[in-house]
Amino acid sequence: MKTTSILFFSLIFLLFSCGAKHHDQQPGGIDDADTVVKKKINAGYAKAGSLERLAAQMIASRESYLSDGNTEAEETFIRALVTALKQPNAFEDDFAYLRKYEINQLSADDHKLRVFYWLSPYSGSMWHVQNIIQYLDENKAVTAISFNDLYQDKDNEGSPTPFFEHIYSLNTSPQKTYLFTGYGQMSGTEPYSVSHILVVDHSKFSINKALFKLGKTVKTQLFASADLKEDQSKEKLTAQLAMIYNTQDKTISYPEVTETKNGSIFNGKRGVLTFRDGMFK
């Protein structure tokens, strides 16, 4: 009798255990809606936490960089950011948590392209700005790339790392074309301005298309720098050197600089190019 009771209660316990496991498990191992949502939320928090941690490490690495020249912390963050920006729906994320590390954003006027940028903690009197491009194509696919990776020949006139102020979408087909205008600093006494053309062809990026025609020369960019004199304001000189694009008449105004034995001087004159037939001329 005692043995029969033990077997009976063991059978009851086994049935309840199987019922509980069946209740917790969905057929075919498929998660329910709440579980899927929780997993997505947790993945988002993990991504944010990882990027924040890497951004903090990048900022904190300046002291070690000054002693050993190691830039690995920033390179690691850039790789992680590019990977995050390529993820589905990443264009809908504002990545606002990165602003505390002075990582800012600039959007094109068509809101299909944006740039994440910051002044590298390894900059000295020459500015080194990191610009990471994210693009949403006509099929809603998103991709990203570091602007520095777009320089192939490295034979550019000035620093490849400016602060961009404006990004304009130009009317071209079939490729998508953007005009970037910005400024930078070659040293503490030599500010500069620059205009770049970015061509997007099926999510492939290029800045090597020559679209600026100056006389008989066709260039891939407009560039102007001038030496800062002792009695000059750097802010005023930077403003005078600005590349100015007029969206109404599609003209770009650029500063003319004279080379002298004492350096480059802004001579007060400005040239104008008009965008027509797919080129500034």
Side-chain angles (χ1 to χ4, degrees):
M1 182 68 179
K2 186 175 181 180
T3 303
T4 305
S5 298
I6 292 173
L7 290 173
F8 175 77
F9 283 112
S10 297
L11 181 61
I12 293 297
F13 177 77
L14 182 61
L15 290 172
F16 272 105
S17 298
C18 291
K21 288 181 180 179
H22 179 76
H23 177 75
D24 292 339
Q25 206 171 31
Q26 295 296 317
I30 299 174
D31 294 328
D32 59 26
D34 288 341
T35 303
V36 171
V37 171
K38 287 177 181 177
K39 284 185 176 180
K40 287 184 177 180
I41 290 174
N42 290 337
Y45 280 128
K47 178 189 72 175
S50 176
L51 281 178
E52 269 203 271
R53 176 176 54 81
L54 293 175
Q57 290 175 353
M58 175 181 69
I59 298 302
S61 69
R62 175 166 173 77
E63 287 189 18
S64 61
Y65 165 76
L66 293 175
S67 62
D68 59 24
N70 192 333
T71 61
E72 183 179 352
E74 185 174 64
E75 293 166 6
T76 300
F77 173 72
I78 290 173
R79 287 194 297 269
L81 178 59
V82 169
T83 298
L85 294 177
K86 288 181 178 179
Q87 300 306 306
N89 302 318
F91 205 83
E92 300 169 11
D93 191 338
D94 63 6
F95 293 87
Y97 53 85
L98 293 178
R99 292 182 185 135
K100 71 173 71 173
Y101 305 102
E102 298 186 7
I103 298 171
N104 301 299
Q105 298 177 34
L106 175 66
S107 293
D109 55 3
D110 67 352
H111 305 291
K112 296 297 178 71
L113 181 144
R114 61 180 174 174
V115 172
F116 291 75
Y117 66 94
W118 66 93
L119 182 66
S120 172
Y122 313 138
S123 289
S125 61
M126 177 183 286
W127 291 348
H128 188 85
V129 183
Q130 295 291 354
N131 293 290
I132 311 301
I133 297 171
Q134 185 189 40
Y135 177 67
L136 184 70
D137 70 16
E138 63 277 3
N139 297 317
K140 304 299 182 183
V142 64
T143 188
I145 191 172
S146 169
F147 197 90
N148 283 350
D149 290 342
L150 298 176
Y151 285 90
Q152 295 178 359
D153 56 14
K154 304 295 181 182
D155 188 24
N156 49 302
E157 295 174 79
S159 168
T161 55
F163 278 113
F164 291 119
E165 293 183 290
H166 302 285
I167 308 173
Y168 304 98
S169 174
L170 302 176
N171 186 20
T172 60
S173 181
Q175 297 89 0
K176 189 75 173 179
T177 305
Y178 290 94
L179 171 68
F180 285 63
T181 62
Y183 66 96
Q185 183 171 288
M186 297 293 288
S187 68
T189 59
E190 192 179 358
Y192 71 86
S193 64
V194 66
S195 291
H196 280 290
I197 291 293
L198 174 71
V199 177
V200 186
D201 186 3
H202 299 293
S203 298
K204 293 183 179 179
F205 303 95
S206 173
I207 58 171
N208 297 311
K209 193 166 185 178
L211 294 185
F212 298 103
K213 188 175 183 180
L214 299 173
K216 296 182 179 181
T217 304
V218 182
K219 297 187 175 185
T220 59
Q221 67 174 357
L222 289 179
F223 179 86
S225 67
D227 292 296
L228 183 68
K229 304 306 178 185
E230 289 186 6
D231 58 345
Q232 278 185 305
S233 162
K234 183 164 68 175
E235 289 74 19
K236 183 177 180 180
L237 178 58
T238 300
Q240 291 174 330
L241 292 174
M243 305 285 178
I244 303 173
Y245 180 65
N246 187 314
T247 58
Q248 299 299 317
D249 57 18
K250 299 181 180 179
T251 59
I252 186 167
S253 167
Y254 62 93
E256 295 184 358
V257 175
T258 301
E259 297 293 336
T260 71
K261 63 180 181 180
N262 296 319
S264 302
I265 299 175
F266 171 55
N267 60 27
K269 299 178 181 179
R270 298 185 67 86
V272 176
L273 299 175
T274 302
F275 187 72
R276 60 179 185 271
D277 301 324
M279 179 178 289
F280 284 99
K281 49 190 178 181

